[in-house]
Amino acid sequence: MATGTKIRTFFEGAWHDEDVAVMRAADHGSWVGSTVFDGARWFDGRAPDLDLHCARVNRSAEALMLTPTMESADIVEAIHEGLKAYDPSDAVYIRPMYWGLDGDASGIVPKPDATGFAICLEAIPMADPSTSITLGRTRFRRPVIEDNVVNAKAGCLYPNNARMLAEVRKRGFQNALVADAMGNVAESATANVFMVKDGVVFTPIPNGTFLSGITRARHMSNMRADGMEVIEKVLTFEDFEDADEVFLSGNMMKVTPVSGFEDTSYQVGPVTRRAREMYWDWAASHG
């Protein structure tokens, strides 16, 4: 599924200037869904936290009982080689991925040391800083470790995300604010979430139902270094109805302001704007 342009693929040790077919019909990942990936970004000639994303894709593979085939540092090196083909003005989505090739006698458990690997690069612009979205509630919830692999960035989790988005879009919202198994706010359908009340920043405490993102951690570090109070805690939907500002935090766009949640409207406030400014300043010196 191509969502961008100028696609390049790293497969079987080499870069290709096209969207290469990398999976076979009988691959374990094709029919049992043993796929994991990670997403990083290259923009303004920088790839911030790329090493952390490449380390996480290997952890995700292990969580799905797949054997990683590349050291994370080697994935970083391969990505930097692939990025040389892009113009510095391009913004690129970076996606390393693993999938199972063969299963055991049951066909269900992936065989050790039978893992496919590829990297996909796609030119996808960063969102305009003025872009904001609205959130709606969904009946679908985040799973827990006992019934799904929430400790991995796994492809099998995304059909649930798609159900959330499809449901709220029918009611005119662009994304969903999603509950965990206990009914408290976990994140959105696609990214972690922050809210601001009286100048204090709050975000749901990681409880094993969602990935506590790399970009989320970067924002928390930046805001605390800037003197802001940032609190991880259990948050309810009522807390978000009472918030002054809300923004999403994800790799794809880094900061996405939220202008409304159901019947509640928000201004794109000073904390949201400052979080974005600090991230770009940090990335300029750490990419």
Side-chain angles (χ1 to χ4, degrees):
M1 179 196 73
T3 58
T5 60
K6 302 181 184 178
I7 296 174
R8 305 196 76 212
T9 308
F10 181 85
F11 183 56
E12 296 182 340
W15 279 104
H16 309 270
D17 291 319
E18 57 183 316
D19 187 8
V20 174
V22 298
M23 295 179 72
R24 303 166 300 182
D27 278 1
H28 193 268
S30 297
W31 65 285
V32 186
S34 56
T35 66
V36 299
F37 72 99
D38 215 287
R41 273 298 215 167
W42 186 73
F43 58 93
D44 298 337
R46 306 280 182 173
D49 283 329
L50 179 60
D51 57 336
L52 301 183
H53 288 283
C54 293
R56 188 171 67 178
V57 76
N58 279 0
R59 295 197 303 273
S60 291
E62 291 167 351
L64 255 71
M65 297 175 285
L66 302 173
T67 305
T69 59
M70 290 186 68
E71 296 293 332
S72 59
D74 294 332
I75 301 175
V76 171
E77 183 178 351
I79 289 169
H80 279 299
E81 182 64 30
L83 288 170
K84 291 178 180 178
Y86 291 87
D87 188 273
S89 64
D90 288 328
V92 179
Y93 183 51
I94 302 165
R95 189 171 60 245
M97 64 194 86
Y98 289 106
W99 64 95
L101 297 174
D102 296 308
D104 67 359
S106 71
I108 304 301
V109 180
K111 284 185 176 179
D113 304 318
T115 308
F117 176 76
I119 304 168
C120 182
L121 303 180
E122 299 183 64
I124 301 177
M126 303 296 287
D128 187 275
S130 64
T131 301
S132 64
I133 64 166
T134 57
L135 302 177
R137 289 192 65 162
T138 173
R139 70 186 188 276
F140 302 113
R141 296 190 179 190
R142 286 287 179 225
V144 295
I145 192 67
E146 288 79 9
D147 59 41
N148 221 316
V149 284
V150 291
N151 58 333
K153 197 168 178 66
C156 60
L157 297 171
Y158 280 76
N160 195 38
N161 298 1
R163 295 193 303 174
M164 298 168 184
L165 290 172
E167 183 180 50
V168 299
R169 285 175 180 173
K170 288 179 181 177
R171 297 195 294 117
F173 300 102
Q174 292 151 303
N175 207 323
L177 193 61
V178 181
D180 60 22
M182 287 67 72
N184 298 306
V185 173
E187 58 176 349
S188 78
T190 61
N192 296 140
V193 66
F194 290 87
M195 57 161 277
V196 184
K197 182 64 178 177
D198 297 330
V200 179
V201 182
F202 298 91
T203 190
I205 190 167
N207 61 1
T209 67
F210 64 93
L211 278 180
S212 177
I214 291 167
T215 306
R216 173 186 182 272
R218 185 60 58 200
H219 286 314
M220 292 174 66
S221 175
N222 287 344
M223 288 188 288
R224 285 170 173 161
D226 199 49
M228 297 185 194
E229 185 177 6
V230 183
I231 299 173
E232 296 176 282
K233 62 173 291 187
V234 174
L235 294 170
T236 67
F237 288 97
E238 289 74 19
D239 290 323
F240 279 82
E241 291 169 351
D242 192 44
D244 299 324
E245 301 177 44
V246 175
F247 65 92
L248 303 185
S249 158
N251 166 68
M252 182 61 82
M253 298 304 172
K254 305 306 181 184
V255 176
T256 302
V258 175
S259 58
F261 166 51
E262 293 287 344
D263 296 330
T264 302
S265 297
Y266 312 111
Q267 297 296 318
V268 180
V271 174
T272 302
R273 292 193 295 270
R274 180 63 177 147
R276 188 184 193 281
E277 177 185 1
M278 286 190 293
Y279 186 88
W280 256 256
D281 286 347
W282 175 85
S285 58
H286 292 83

